[in-house]
PDB file of all heavy atoms in Angstrom:
ATOM      1  N   VAL X   1     -17.717   4.531   8.368  1.00 92.00           N
ATOM      2  CA  VAL X   1     -17.888   4.771   6.901  1.00 92.00           C
ATOM      3  C   VAL X   1     -18.878   5.894   6.730  1.00 92.00           C
ATOM      4  O   VAL X   1     -19.959   5.802   7.293  1.00 92.00           O
ATOM      5  CB  VAL X   1     -18.275   3.533   6.178  1.00 92.00           C
ATOM      6  CG1 VAL X   1     -18.557   3.826   4.656  1.00 92.00           C
ATOM      7  CG2 VAL X   1     -17.185   2.439   6.301  1.00 92.00           C
ATOM      8  N   SER X   2     -18.546   6.922   6.004  1.00 93.00           N
ATOM      9  CA  SER X   2     -19.464   8.004   5.779  1.00 93.00           C
ATOM     10  C   SER X   2     -20.615   7.568   4.907  1.00 93.00           C
ATOM     11  O   SER X   2     -20.573   6.510   4.245  1.00 93.00           O
ATOM     12  CB  SER X   2     -18.747   9.200   5.041  1.00 93.00           C
ATOM     13  OG  SER X   2     -17.694   9.672   5.867  1.00 93.00           O
ATOM     14  N   LYS X   3     -21.730   8.331   4.903  1.00 93.00           N
ATOM     15  CA  LYS X   3     -22.946   8.024   4.139  1.00 93.00           C
ATOM     16  C   LYS X   3     -22.520   7.809   2.622  1.00 93.00           C
ATOM     17  O   LYS X   3     -22.957   6.896   1.955  1.00 93.00           O
ATOM     18  CB  LYS X   3     -24.002   9.026   4.299  1.00 93.00           C
ATOM     19  CG  LYS X   3     -24.630   9.038   5.713  1.00 93.00           C
ATOM     20  CD  LYS X   3     -25.725  10.025   5.749  1.00 93.00           C
ATOM     21  CE  LYS X   3     -26.380  10.030   7.158  1.00 93.00           C
ATOM     22  NZ  LYS X   3     -27.495  11.044   7.266  1.00 93.00           N
ATOM     23  N   ARG X   4     -21.739   8.807   2.129  1.00 95.00           N
ATOM     24  CA  ARG X   4     -21.158   8.643   0.783  1.00 95.00           C
ATOM     25  C   ARG X   4     -19.639   8.830   1.020  1.00 95.00           C
ATOM     26  O   ARG X   4     -19.132   9.911   0.926  1.00 95.00           O
ATOM     27  CB  ARG X   4     -21.716   9.694  -0.148  1.00 95.00           C
ATOM     28  CG  ARG X   4     -21.176   9.707  -1.562  1.00 95.00           C
ATOM     29  CD  ARG X   4     -21.700  10.917  -2.345  1.00 95.00           C
ATOM     30  NE  ARG X   4     -21.070  11.031  -3.606  1.00 95.00           N
ATOM     31  CZ  ARG X   4     -21.467  10.618  -4.758  1.00 95.00           C
ATOM     32  NH1 ARG X   4     -22.561   9.877  -4.844  1.00 95.00           N
ATOM     33  NH2 ARG X   4     -20.768  10.783  -5.832  1.00 95.00           N
ATOM     34  N   HIS X   5     -18.959   7.746   1.171  1.00 96.00           N
ATOM     35  CA  HIS X   5     -17.576   7.771   1.590  1.00 96.00           C
ATOM     36  C   HIS X   5     -16.647   8.043   0.468  1.00 96.00           C
ATOM     37  O   HIS X   5     -15.765   8.900   0.568  1.00 96.00           O
ATOM     38  CB  HIS X   5     -17.225   6.489   2.248  1.00 96.00           C
ATOM     39  CG  HIS X   5     -15.924   6.533   3.038  1.00 96.00           C
ATOM     40  ND1 HIS X   5     -15.849   6.747   4.402  1.00 96.00           N
ATOM     41  CD2 HIS X   5     -14.615   6.510   2.624  1.00 96.00           C
ATOM     42  CE1 HIS X   5     -14.602   6.804   4.768  1.00 96.00           C
ATOM     43  NE2 HIS X   5     -13.829   6.682   3.746  1.00 96.00           N
ATOM     44  N   CYS X   6     -16.821   7.341  -0.664  1.00 96.00           N
ATOM     45  CA  CYS X   6     -15.924   7.521  -1.816  1.00 96.00           C
ATOM     46  C   CYS X   6     -16.610   7.034  -3.085  1.00 96.00           C
ATOM     47  O   CYS X   6     -17.666   6.499  -3.105  1.00 96.00           O
ATOM     48  CB  CYS X   6     -14.629   6.739  -1.545  1.00 96.00           C
ATOM     49  SG  CYS X   6     -14.799   5.003  -1.376  1.00 96.00           S
ATOM     50  N   THR X   7     -15.901   7.368  -4.218  1.00 96.00           N
ATOM     51  CA  THR X   7     -16.375   6.885  -5.529  1.00 96.00           C
ATOM     52  C   THR X   7     -15.195   6.262  -6.295  1.00 96.00           C
ATOM     53  O   THR X   7     -14.036   6.622  -6.047  1.00 96.00           O
ATOM     54  CB  THR X   7     -16.975   7.951  -6.315  1.00 96.00           C
ATOM     55  OG1 THR X   7     -15.918   8.935  -6.725  1.00 96.00           O
ATOM     56  CG2 THR X   7     -18.059   8.702  -5.598  1.00 96.00           C
ATOM     57  N   ILE X   8     -15.530   5.289  -7.100  1.00 96.00           N
ATOM     58  CA  ILE X   8     -14.561   4.741  -8.056  1.00 96.00           C
ATOM     59  C   ILE X   8     -15.120   4.800  -9.460  1.00 96.00           C
ATOM     60  O   ILE X   8     -16.243   4.415  -9.752  1.00 96.00           O
ATOM     61  CB  ILE X   8     -14.322   3.244  -7.793  1.00 96.00           C
ATOM     62  CG1 ILE X   8     -13.659   3.073  -6.402  1.00 96.00           C
ATOM     63  CG2 ILE X   8     -13.441   2.626  -8.851  1.00 96.00           C
ATOM     64  CD1 ILE X   8     -13.453   1.652  -5.986  1.00 96.00           C
ATOM     65  N   THR X   9     -14.424   5.589 -10.261  1.00 95.00           N
ATOM     66  CA  THR X   9     -14.860   5.788 -11.695  1.00 95.00           C
ATOM     67  C   THR X   9     -14.034   4.953 -12.591  1.00 95.00           C
ATOM     68  O   THR X   9     -12.817   5.061 -12.657  1.00 95.00           O
ATOM     69  CB  THR X   9     -14.703   7.291 -12.022  1.00 95.00           C
ATOM     70  OG1 THR X   9     -15.454   8.093 -11.177  1.00 95.00           O
ATOM     71  CG2 THR X   9     -15.120   7.579 -13.480  1.00 95.00           C
ATOM     72  N   THR X  10     -14.730   4.127 -13.365  1.00 91.00           N
ATOM     73  CA  THR X  10     -14.073   3.243 -14.349  1.00 91.00           C
ATOM     74  C   THR X  10     -14.298   3.791 -15.711  1.00 91.00           C
ATOM     75  O   THR X  10     -15.254   4.510 -16.023  1.00 91.00           O
ATOM     76  CB  THR X  10     -14.632   1.834 -14.290  1.00 91.00           C
ATOM     77  OG1 THR X  10     -16.018   1.860 -14.611  1.00 91.00           O
ATOM     78  CG2 THR X  10     -14.434   1.152 -12.921  1.00 91.00           C
ATOM     79  N   HIS X  11     -13.362   3.490 -16.589  1.00 87.00           N
ATOM     80  CA  HIS X  11     -13.438   3.888 -18.024  1.00 87.00           C
ATOM     81  C   HIS X  11     -13.493   2.673 -18.901  1.00 87.00           C
ATOM     82  O   HIS X  11     -13.140   1.559 -18.544  1.00 87.00           O
ATOM     83  CB  HIS X  11     -12.279   4.764 -18.397  1.00 87.00           C
ATOM     84  CG  HIS X  11     -12.261   6.117 -17.647  1.00 87.00           C
ATOM     85  ND1 HIS X  11     -11.736   6.260 -16.335  1.00 87.00           N
ATOM     86  CD2 HIS X  11     -12.710   7.365 -17.957  1.00 87.00           C
ATOM     87  CE1 HIS X  11     -11.835   7.477 -15.938  1.00 87.00           C
ATOM     88  NE2 HIS X  11     -12.497   8.178 -16.910  1.00 87.00           N
ATOM     89  N   ALA X  12     -13.906   2.857 -20.132  1.00 80.00           N
ATOM     90  CA  ALA X  12     -14.096   1.790 -20.981  1.00 80.00           C
ATOM     91  C   ALA X  12     -12.746   1.102 -21.336  1.00 80.00           C
ATOM     92  O   ALA X  12     -11.716   1.794 -21.597  1.00 80.00           O
ATOM     93  CB  ALA X  12     -14.763   2.178 -22.352  1.00 80.00           C
ATOM     94  N   ALA X  13     -12.727  -0.250 -21.366  1.00 72.00           N
ATOM     95  CA  ALA X  13     -11.517  -1.003 -21.644  1.00 72.00           C
ATOM     96  C   ALA X  13     -11.347  -1.029 -23.171  1.00 72.00           C
ATOM     97  O   ALA X  13     -12.254  -1.075 -23.997  1.00 72.00           O
ATOM     98  CB  ALA X  13     -11.630  -2.430 -21.097  1.00 72.00           C
ATOM     99  N   SER X  14     -10.067  -0.925 -23.570  1.00 67.00           N
ATOM    100  CA  SER X  14      -9.806  -1.069 -25.026  1.00 67.00           C
ATOM    101  C   SER X  14      -9.362  -2.503 -25.354  1.00 67.00           C
ATOM    102  O   SER X  14      -8.839  -3.160 -24.508  1.00 67.00           O
ATOM    103  CB  SER X  14      -8.560  -0.074 -25.345  1.00 67.00           C
ATOM    104  OG  SER X  14      -7.437  -0.371 -24.616  1.00 67.00           O
ATOM    105  N   SER X  15      -9.720  -2.896 -26.538  1.00 58.00           N
ATOM    106  CA  SER X  15      -9.421  -4.234 -26.944  1.00 58.00           C
ATOM    107  C   SER X  15      -7.905  -4.439 -27.235  1.00 58.00           C
ATOM    108  O   SER X  15      -7.278  -3.579 -27.792  1.00 58.00           O
ATOM    109  CB  SER X  15     -10.177  -4.560 -28.250  1.00 58.00           C
ATOM    110  OG  SER X  15     -11.559  -4.551 -27.918  1.00 58.00           O
ATOM    111  N   ALA X  16      -7.449  -5.569 -26.779  1.00 54.00           N
ATOM    112  CA  ALA X  16      -6.016  -5.911 -27.062  1.00 54.00           C
ATOM    113  C   ALA X  16      -5.999  -7.119 -27.970  1.00 54.00           C
ATOM    114  O   ALA X  16      -7.002  -7.367 -28.708  1.00 54.00           O
ATOM    115  CB  ALA X  16      -5.344  -6.284 -25.729  1.00 54.00           C
ATOM    116  N   ALA X  17      -4.887  -7.890 -28.031  1.00 51.00           N
ATOM    117  CA  ALA X  17      -4.886  -9.002 -28.927  1.00 51.00           C
ATOM    118  C   ALA X  17      -5.989  -9.958 -28.647  1.00 51.00           C
ATOM    119  O   ALA X  17      -6.332 -10.245 -27.528  1.00 51.00           O
ATOM    120  CB  ALA X  17      -3.513  -9.684 -28.703  1.00 51.00           C
ATOM    121  N   HIS X  18      -6.563 -10.529 -29.720  1.00 53.00           N
ATOM    122  CA  HIS X  18      -7.636 -11.564 -29.633  1.00 53.00           C
ATOM    123  C   HIS X  18      -8.877 -11.049 -29.020  1.00 53.00           C
ATOM    124  O   HIS X  18      -9.650 -11.794 -28.532  1.00 53.00           O
ATOM    125  CB  HIS X  18      -7.115 -12.806 -28.896  1.00 53.00           C
ATOM    126  CG  HIS X  18      -5.837 -13.436 -29.541  1.00 53.00           C
ATOM    127  ND1 HIS X  18      -5.891 -14.080 -30.709  1.00 53.00           N
ATOM    128  CD2 HIS X  18      -4.625 -13.434 -29.089  1.00 53.00           C
ATOM    129  CE1 HIS X  18      -4.652 -14.431 -31.023  1.00 53.00           C
ATOM    130  NE2 HIS X  18      -3.876 -14.089 -30.076  1.00 53.00           N
ATOM    131  N   GLY X  19      -8.933  -9.690 -28.874  1.00 56.00           N
ATOM    132  CA  GLY X  19     -10.172  -9.070 -28.344  1.00 56.00           C
ATOM    133  C   GLY X  19     -10.209  -9.078 -26.841  1.00 56.00           C
ATOM    134  O   GLY X  19     -11.185  -8.602 -26.264  1.00 56.00           O
ATOM    135  N   VAL X  20      -9.243  -9.548 -26.101  1.00 61.00           N
ATOM    136  CA  VAL X  20      -9.163  -9.559 -24.646  1.00 61.00           C
ATOM    137  C   VAL X  20      -8.885  -8.129 -24.204  1.00 61.00           C
ATOM    138  O   VAL X  20      -7.927  -7.581 -24.634  1.00 61.00           O
ATOM    139  CB  VAL X  20      -8.158 -10.509 -24.099  1.00 61.00           C
ATOM    140  CG1 VAL X  20      -8.150 -10.490 -22.582  1.00 61.00           C
ATOM    141  CG2 VAL X  20      -8.520 -11.912 -24.546  1.00 61.00           C
ATOM    142  N   PRO X  21      -9.770  -7.494 -23.393  1.00 65.00           N
ATOM    143  CA  PRO X  21      -9.553  -6.079 -23.059  1.00 65.00           C
ATOM    144  C   PRO X  21      -8.361  -5.879 -22.171  1.00 65.00           C
ATOM    145  O   PRO X  21      -8.049  -6.658 -21.321  1.00 65.00           O
ATOM    146  CB  PRO X  21     -10.880  -5.763 -22.315  1.00 65.00           C
ATOM    147  CG  PRO X  21     -11.385  -7.037 -21.839  1.00 65.00           C
ATOM    148  CD  PRO X  21     -11.049  -8.045 -22.836  1.00 65.00           C
ATOM    149  N   ALA X  22      -7.693  -4.739 -22.465  1.00 74.00           N
ATOM    150  CA  ALA X  22      -6.544  -4.305 -21.629  1.00 74.00           C
ATOM    151  C   ALA X  22      -7.100  -3.514 -20.542  1.00 74.00           C
ATOM    152  O   ALA X  22      -8.206  -2.926 -20.534  1.00 74.00           O
ATOM    153  CB  ALA X  22      -5.568  -3.508 -22.442  1.00 74.00           C
ATOM    154  N   ALA X  23      -6.349  -3.368 -19.404  1.00 79.00           N
ATOM    155  CA  ALA X  23      -6.811  -2.659 -18.227  1.00 79.00           C
ATOM    156  C   ALA X  23      -7.033  -1.185 -18.496  1.00 79.00           C
ATOM    157  O   ALA X  23      -6.087  -0.531 -19.017  1.00 79.00           O
ATOM    158  CB  ALA X  23      -5.840  -2.785 -17.087  1.00 79.00           C
ATOM    159  N   PRO X  24      -8.206  -0.652 -18.300  1.00 84.00           N
ATOM    160  CA  PRO X  24      -8.479   0.798 -18.488  1.00 84.00           C
ATOM    161  C   PRO X  24      -8.101   1.591 -17.259  1.00 84.00           C
ATOM    162  O   PRO X  24      -7.746   1.061 -16.209  1.00 84.00           O
ATOM    163  CB  PRO X  24      -9.972   0.810 -18.697  1.00 84.00           C
ATOM    164  CG  PRO X  24     -10.472  -0.298 -17.838  1.00 84.00           C
ATOM    165  CD  PRO X  24      -9.411  -1.356 -17.852  1.00 84.00           C
ATOM    166  N   SER X  25      -8.212   2.883 -17.413  1.00 89.00           N
ATOM    167  CA  SER X  25      -7.884   3.769 -16.264  1.00 89.00           C
ATOM    168  C   SER X  25      -9.090   3.715 -15.263  1.00 89.00           C
ATOM    169  O   SER X  25     -10.230   3.456 -15.683  1.00 89.00           O
ATOM    170  CB  SER X  25      -7.616   5.173 -16.725  1.00 89.00           C
ATOM    171  OG  SER X  25      -8.791   5.694 -17.401  1.00 89.00           O
ATOM    172  N   VAL X  26      -8.702   3.936 -14.004  1.00 93.00           N
ATOM    173  CA  VAL X  26      -9.785   4.025 -12.961  1.00 93.00           C
ATOM    174  C   VAL X  26      -9.363   5.027 -11.944  1.00 93.00           C
ATOM    175  O   VAL X  26      -8.147   5.168 -11.613  1.00 93.00           O
ATOM    176  CB  VAL X  26      -9.965   2.591 -12.337  1.00 93.00           C
ATOM    177  CG1 VAL X  26      -8.667   2.037 -11.722  1.00 93.00           C
ATOM    178  CG2 VAL X  26     -11.021   2.710 -11.305  1.00 93.00           C
ATOM    179  N   VAL X  27     -10.304   5.820 -11.441  1.00 95.00           N
ATOM    180  CA  VAL X  27      -9.979   6.906 -10.551  1.00 95.00           C
ATOM    181  C   VAL X  27     -10.771   6.794  -9.228  1.00 95.00           C
ATOM    182  O   VAL X  27     -11.993   6.479  -9.233  1.00 95.00           O
ATOM    183  CB  VAL X  27     -10.381   8.298 -11.178  1.00 95.00           C
ATOM    184  CG1 VAL X  27     -10.078   9.431 -10.230  1.00 95.00           C
ATOM    185  CG2 VAL X  27      -9.524   8.466 -12.455  1.00 95.00           C
ATOM    186  N   PHE X  28     -10.064   7.000  -8.093  1.00 97.00           N
ATOM    187  CA  PHE X  28     -10.676   6.969  -6.822  1.00 97.00           C
ATOM    188  C   PHE X  28     -10.889   8.384  -6.267  1.00 97.00           C
ATOM    189  O   PHE X  28      -9.974   9.265  -6.418  1.00 97.00           O
ATOM    190  CB  PHE X  28      -9.715   6.204  -5.833  1.00 97.00           C
ATOM    191  CG  PHE X  28     -10.219   6.233  -4.402  1.00 97.00           C
ATOM    192  CD1 PHE X  28     -11.099   5.249  -3.922  1.00 97.00           C
ATOM    193  CD2 PHE X  28      -9.775   7.146  -3.499  1.00 97.00           C
ATOM    194  CE1 PHE X  28     -11.473   5.234  -2.667  1.00 97.00           C
ATOM    195  CE2 PHE X  28     -10.122   7.164  -2.199  1.00 97.00           C
ATOM    196  CZ  PHE X  28     -11.081   6.165  -1.751  1.00 97.00           C
ATOM    197  N   GLU X  29     -11.990   8.664  -5.688  1.00 97.00           N
ATOM    198  CA  GLU X  29     -12.238  10.017  -5.089  1.00 97.00           C
ATOM    199  C   GLU X  29     -12.758   9.831  -3.661  1.00 97.00           C
ATOM    200  O   GLU X  29     -13.747   9.098  -3.476  1.00 97.00           O
ATOM    201  CB  GLU X  29     -13.222  10.842  -5.870  1.00 97.00           C
ATOM    202  CG  GLU X  29     -13.468  12.185  -5.260  1.00 97.00           C
ATOM    203  CD  GLU X  29     -14.436  13.034  -6.059  1.00 97.00           C
ATOM    204  OE1 GLU X  29     -15.055  12.555  -7.082  1.00 97.00           O
ATOM    205  OE2 GLU X  29     -14.679  14.214  -5.640  1.00 97.00           O
ATOM    206  N   ASP X  30     -12.138  10.456  -2.681  1.00 96.00           N
ATOM    207  CA  ASP X  30     -12.589  10.394  -1.310  1.00 96.00           C
ATOM    208  C   ASP X  30     -13.553  11.567  -1.049  1.00 96.00           C
ATOM    209  O   ASP X  30     -13.321  12.724  -1.411  1.00 96.00           O
ATOM    210  CB  ASP X  30     -11.390  10.526  -0.398  1.00 96.00           C
ATOM    211  CG  ASP X  30     -11.839  10.508   1.088  1.00 96.00           C
ATOM    212  OD1 ASP X  30     -12.056   9.431   1.613  1.00 96.00           O
ATOM    213  OD2 ASP X  30     -11.940  11.641   1.713  1.00 96.00           O
ATOM    214  N   CYS X  31     -14.695  11.253  -0.470  1.00 95.00           N
ATOM    215  CA  CYS X  31     -15.724  12.246  -0.203  1.00 95.00           C
ATOM    216  C   CYS X  31     -16.091  12.227   1.253  1.00 95.00           C
ATOM    217  O   CYS X  31     -17.104  12.843   1.712  1.00 95.00           O
ATOM    218  CB  CYS X  31     -17.019  11.916  -1.005  1.00 95.00           C
ATOM    219  SG  CYS X  31     -16.781  11.565  -2.739  1.00 95.00           S
ATOM    220  N   SER X  32     -15.249  11.618   2.157  1.00 94.00           N
ATOM    221  CA  SER X  32     -15.622  11.346   3.491  1.00 94.00           C
ATOM    222  C   SER X  32     -15.127  12.468   4.458  1.00 94.00           C
ATOM    223  O   SER X  32     -14.407  13.424   4.049  1.00 94.00           O
ATOM    224  CB  SER X  32     -14.968  10.059   3.954  1.00 94.00           C
ATOM    225  OG  SER X  32     -13.542  10.118   4.016  1.00 94.00           O
ATOM    226  N   SER X  33     -15.485  12.378   5.715  1.00 90.00           N
ATOM    227  CA  SER X  33     -15.045  13.251   6.747  1.00 90.00           C
ATOM    228  C   SER X  33     -13.641  13.008   7.235  1.00 90.00           C
ATOM    229  O   SER X  33     -12.891  13.944   7.614  1.00 90.00           O
ATOM    230  CB  SER X  33     -16.052  13.236   7.938  1.00 90.00           C
ATOM    231  OG  SER X  33     -17.406  13.532   7.521  1.00 90.00           O
ATOM    232  N   TYR X  34     -13.269  11.700   7.244  1.00 89.00           N
ATOM    233  CA  TYR X  34     -11.981  11.394   7.848  1.00 89.00           C
ATOM    234  C   TYR X  34     -10.943  10.874   6.863  1.00 89.00           C
ATOM    235  O   TYR X  34      -9.797  10.574   7.223  1.00 89.00           O
ATOM    236  CB  TYR X  34     -12.183  10.410   8.932  1.00 89.00           C
ATOM    237  CG  TYR X  34     -13.147  10.936  10.105  1.00 89.00           C
ATOM    238  CD1 TYR X  34     -14.436  10.448  10.174  1.00 89.00           C
ATOM    239  CD2 TYR X  34     -12.703  11.901  10.954  1.00 89.00           C
ATOM    240  CE1 TYR X  34     -15.301  10.947  11.134  1.00 89.00           C
ATOM    241  CE2 TYR X  34     -13.538  12.376  11.944  1.00 89.00           C
ATOM    242  CZ  TYR X  34     -14.876  11.956  12.019  1.00 89.00           C
ATOM    243  OH  TYR X  34     -15.645  12.444  12.978  1.00 89.00           O
ATOM    244  N   GLY X  35     -11.353  10.697   5.617  1.00 94.00           N
ATOM    245  CA  GLY X  35     -10.359  10.273   4.626  1.00 94.00           C
ATOM    246  C   GLY X  35     -10.244   8.778   4.457  1.00 94.00           C
ATOM    247  O   GLY X  35     -10.889   8.022   5.144  1.00 94.00           O
ATOM    248  N   SER X  36      -9.495   8.376   3.472  1.00 95.00           N
ATOM    249  CA  SER X  36      -9.200   6.912   3.133  1.00 95.00           C
ATOM    250  C   SER X  36      -7.762   6.726   2.911  1.00 95.00           C
ATOM    251  O   SER X  36      -6.948   7.709   2.850  1.00 95.00           O
ATOM    252  CB  SER X  36      -9.976   6.615   1.858  1.00 95.00           C
ATOM    253  OG  SER X  36     -11.384   6.952   1.918  1.00 95.00           O
ATOM    254  N   THR X  37      -7.371   5.506   2.833  1.00 95.00           N
ATOM    255  CA  THR X  37      -5.973   5.213   2.589  1.00 95.00           C
ATOM    256  C   THR X  37      -5.939   4.314   1.325  1.00 95.00           C
ATOM    257  O   THR X  37      -6.663   3.277   1.229  1.00 95.00           O
ATOM    258  CB  THR X  37      -5.349   4.439   3.694  1.00 95.00           C
ATOM    259  OG1 THR X  37      -5.369   5.246   4.942  1.00 95.00           O
ATOM    260  CG2 THR X  37      -3.852   4.108   3.449  1.00 95.00           C
ATOM    261  N   VAL X  38      -5.111   4.703   0.364  1.00 96.00           N
ATOM    262  CA  VAL X  38      -4.963   3.908  -0.931  1.00 96.00           C
ATOM    263  C   VAL X  38      -3.486   3.414  -0.981  1.00 96.00           C
ATOM    264  O   VAL X  38      -2.516   4.201  -1.145  1.00 96.00           O
ATOM    265  CB  VAL X  38      -5.282   4.803  -2.162  1.00 96.00           C
ATOM    266  CG1 VAL X  38      -5.018   3.990  -3.400  1.00 96.00           C
ATOM    267  CG2 VAL X  38      -6.691   5.288  -2.037  1.00 96.00           C
ATOM    268  N   SER X  39      -3.340   2.159  -0.739  1.00 96.00           N
ATOM    269  CA  SER X  39      -2.020   1.465  -0.780  1.00 96.00           C
ATOM    270  C   SER X  39      -1.016   2.246   0.093  1.00 96.00           C
ATOM    271  O   SER X  39       0.143   2.585  -0.307  1.00 96.00           O
ATOM    272  CB  SER X  39      -1.514   1.371  -2.184  1.00 96.00           C
ATOM    273  OG  SER X  39      -2.287   0.413  -2.923  1.00 96.00           O
ATOM    274  N   GLY X  40      -1.462   2.684   1.297  1.00 94.00           N
ATOM    275  CA  GLY X  40      -0.557   3.337   2.266  1.00 94.00           C
ATOM    276  C   GLY X  40      -0.583   4.856   2.136  1.00 94.00           C
ATOM    277  O   GLY X  40       0.019   5.505   2.958  1.00 94.00           O
ATOM    278  N   ARG X  41      -1.178   5.408   1.102  1.00 95.00           N
ATOM    279  CA  ARG X  41      -1.236   6.844   0.926  1.00 95.00           C
ATOM    280  C   ARG X  41      -2.514   7.415   1.484  1.00 95.00           C
ATOM    281  O   ARG X  41      -3.589   6.915   1.176  1.00 95.00           O
ATOM    282  CB  ARG X  41      -1.056   7.196  -0.533  1.00 95.00           C
ATOM    283  CG  ARG X  41       0.266   6.782  -1.201  1.00 95.00           C
ATOM    284  CD  ARG X  41       0.125   6.956  -2.675  1.00 95.00           C
ATOM    285  NE  ARG X  41      -0.870   6.005  -3.255  1.00 95.00           N
ATOM    286  CZ  ARG X  41      -1.381   6.099  -4.434  1.00 95.00           C
ATOM    287  NH1 ARG X  41      -1.032   7.145  -5.274  1.00 95.00           N
ATOM    288  NH2 ARG X  41      -2.241   5.218  -4.905  1.00 95.00           N
ATOM    289  N   LYS X  42      -2.455   8.482   2.230  1.00 95.00           N
ATOM    290  CA  LYS X  42      -3.713   9.096   2.772  1.00 95.00           C
ATOM    291  C   LYS X  42      -4.346   9.972   1.697  1.00 95.00           C
ATOM    292  O   LYS X  42      -3.664  10.734   1.002  1.00 95.00           O
ATOM    293  CB  LYS X  42      -3.315  10.023   3.965  1.00 95.00           C
ATOM    294  CG  LYS X  42      -4.507  10.609   4.680  1.00 95.00           C
ATOM    295  CD  LYS X  42      -5.313   9.601   5.430  1.00 95.00           C
ATOM    296  CE  LYS X  42      -6.391  10.270   6.236  1.00 95.00           C
ATOM    297  NZ  LYS X  42      -7.165   9.274   7.014  1.00 95.00           N
ATOM    298  N   VAL X  43      -5.616   9.790   1.471  1.00 96.00           N
ATOM    299  CA  VAL X  43      -6.365  10.507   0.473  1.00 96.00           C
ATOM    300  C   VAL X  43      -7.584  11.124   1.203  1.00 96.00           C
ATOM    301  O   VAL X  43      -8.386  10.349   1.791  1.00 96.00           O
ATOM    302  CB  VAL X  43      -6.812   9.612  -0.692  1.00 96.00           C
ATOM    303  CG1 VAL X  43      -7.616  10.491  -1.710  1.00 96.00           C
ATOM    304  CG2 VAL X  43      -5.642   8.971  -1.316  1.00 96.00           C
TER     305      VAL X  43
END
């Protein structure tokens, strides 16, 4: 694992019915020397 291998950026959830939040967008960024795999995809 690299010293700073990757980042995950989350965004604010929006309210759905009865105030329960719906899934917001989230972004993965690879910052490593050898890469990462996301659900079988090389990043």
Side-chain angles (χ1 to χ4, degrees):
V1 175
S2 298
K3 290 183 179 180
R4 180 185 167 95
H5 195 98
C6 61
T7 65
I8 295 177
T9 300
T10 61
H11 295 82
S14 58
S15 295
H18 304 288
V20 179
S25 60
V26 58
V27 177
F28 175 87
E29 180 179 6
D30 178 80
C31 313
S32 68
S33 301
Y34 301 105
S36 307
T37 302
V38 178
S39 293
R41 298 168 294 163
K42 185 71 173 181
V43 179

